Amino acid sequence: MSKENLPVSKTLSLTSKIFSHNPSSFTSSEWMVYFNSKFVILAATLFPGVGCYACIAYTYIFQFDNIVNFASDHCNGTMSYIPPVSYSIGVWKPQKFFWLSVLMLHVPPRIIYVELCNKFFLRGPNASKPDSYYFHILLSIHRFLMHLEIWALVGVSIFDIAYNFLIHAIFFGFWLASFNFNMLFSVILQYQSGINETDTKYNNLFKIKRFMFIVGCPISLTAAASYVYYLKSCEDFAYVTFAITEYTTVGMNSLFHLLSYIDADNMSLDIAVVPSISGKVKNKVCAV
């Protein structure tokens, strides 16, 4: 049986130990670093949404002149009191620097969050069955798309709309597509894993995820479609629709991933770095 197919305990404990000498020479309290799973989930899910809305709020409160004088870079400068998110987080200052700081704090826990999500699906009774080959393929694709969502957001933030519109739009497209597929795969994987049958709260979580996908997917796709239509038609209504649906998608992204907080009590992350002996390999203990 492959390592991926091994059953995972209820505490989401996946431990890897490599010792080159007797571990009794150190104490866990000295070398173990304990991460609060609740903080990791909150940082991985809420930081982008809260940070983004904070930048937008700052613009409306302290830089309202930017709102009043805002004009699109396309269609001979379409005027709008609802500028896209890209301007608040990527062009106007100091919001841009605040957003990049939030992003810096967000990415490391988000990478850990991807693994926590995958271990959640592996806890289902169907995950360790011999015929779960396609389940693990889908899980691997989901892991890839979760990472793609992270780095697409980084790309959107670094290559802002003022730097290069095309590059910015491509990264936004990757982020939007990966988010929608991640919602879909999360719903499918939770259902196929069989974890819904183990606890009522997981069944309720599944229903909430399914509802958010049914509602969130059309909204996010409307954002993409309305902007393409705006570039073709230069209709003011299409531009406003894009901005509103984009604002909504940001919040739905954070809320959907935040649903993992329901299972935070069953998640833990412990990391220890063991002092190495001269000339020997360093020792590490990592548990998720």
Side-chain angles (χ1 to χ4, degrees):
M1 184 181 294
S2 66
K3 186 176 181 180
E4 287 291 338
N5 290 332
L6 290 175
V8 183
S9 68
K10 186 176 181 180
T11 57
L12 284 182
S13 178
L14 176 64
T15 307
S16 173
K17 300 181 180 180
I18 304 175
F19 292 111
S20 60
H21 67 284
N22 191 339
S24 62
S25 59
F26 71 94
T27 61
S28 61
S29 60
E30 293 176 347
W31 299 101
M32 184 72 75
V33 178
Y34 301 94
F35 289 86
N36 188 308
S37 59
K38 293 183 178 180
F39 172 77
V40 170
I41 294 174
L42 290 176
T45 60
L46 283 185
F47 276 16
V50 173
C52 183
Y53 286 138
C55 290
I56 295 172
Y58 184 94
T59 302
Y60 275 92
I61 295 172
F62 299 105
Q63 296 180 351
F64 194 68
D65 56 315
N66 285 339
I67 303 297
V68 174
N69 299 315
F70 174 77
S72 168
D73 295 330
H74 302 280
C75 296
N76 298 320
T78 301
M79 303 293 292
S80 174
Y81 283 98
I82 310 177
V85 174
S86 299
Y87 290 91
S88 287
I89 68 172
V91 177
W92 296 326
K93 302 173 183 178
Q95 300 94 302
K96 176 179 180 178
F97 302 124
F98 174 76
W99 169 251
L100 290 176
S101 299
V102 169
L103 189 68
M104 178 184 67
L105 296 173
H106 160 71
V107 171
R110 185 57 176 261
I111 294 174
I112 298 172
Y113 169 79
V114 172
E115 299 308 316
L116 291 177
C117 288
N118 285 331
K119 299 303 179 292
F120 170 76
F121 298 125
L122 288 172
R123 286 169 53 197
N126 297 337
S128 57
K129 289 183 177 180
D131 59 349
S132 61
Y133 176 75
Y134 292 105
F135 171 84
H136 288 280
I137 290 179
L138 189 60
L139 185 63
S140 297
I141 297 174
H142 181 52
R143 179 188 287 114
F144 168 78
L145 290 174
M146 289 283 280
H147 282 289
L148 178 61
E149 186 178 330
I150 299 171
W151 300 114
L153 181 62
V154 173
V156 166
S157 304
I158 295 176
F159 301 101
D160 57 70
I161 196 169
Y163 173 78
N164 188 296
F165 170 77
L166 181 59
I167 296 177
H168 180 79
I170 290 174
F171 275 112
F172 178 75
F174 278 128
W175 179 81
L176 201 63
S178 59
F179 170 50
N180 279 283
F181 276 112
N182 282 328
M183 285 196 295
L184 174 63
F185 286 174
S186 180
V187 171
I188 295 174
L189 285 167
Q190 183 165 339
Y191 178 80
Q192 292 295 334
S193 69
I195 197 171
N196 293 341
E197 303 169 4
T198 63
D199 197 312
T200 304
K201 74 173 183 179
Y202 296 137
N203 190 45
N204 294 333
L205 175 63
F206 171 77
K207 292 178 181 178
I208 297 173
K209 281 185 175 181
R210 184 176 58 186
F211 172 78
M212 290 196 67
F213 171 70
I214 293 173
V215 175
C217 185
I219 291 176
S220 59
L221 293 180
T222 299
S226 59
Y227 196 81
V228 172
Y229 180 72
Y230 164 71
L231 294 177
K232 296 289 185 180
S233 65
C234 291
E235 291 285 345
D236 294 355
F237 177 75
Y239 195 66
V240 173
T241 301
F242 164 71
I244 293 175
T245 51
E246 186 187 32
Y247 284 25
T248 307
T249 300
V250 169
M252 295 205 68
N253 178 273
S254 287
L255 288 176
F256 184 85
H257 291 301
L258 182 62
L259 292 174
S260 298
Y261 191 83
I262 294 176
D263 201 47
D265 290 334
N266 290 330
M267 300 180 183
S268 64
L269 177 65
D270 306 328
I271 298 177
V273 179
V274 183
S276 62
I277 298 176
S278 179
K280 295 187 177 182
V281 182
K282 292 183 179 180
N283 306 287
K284 299 180 181 179
V285 180
C286 178
V288 178

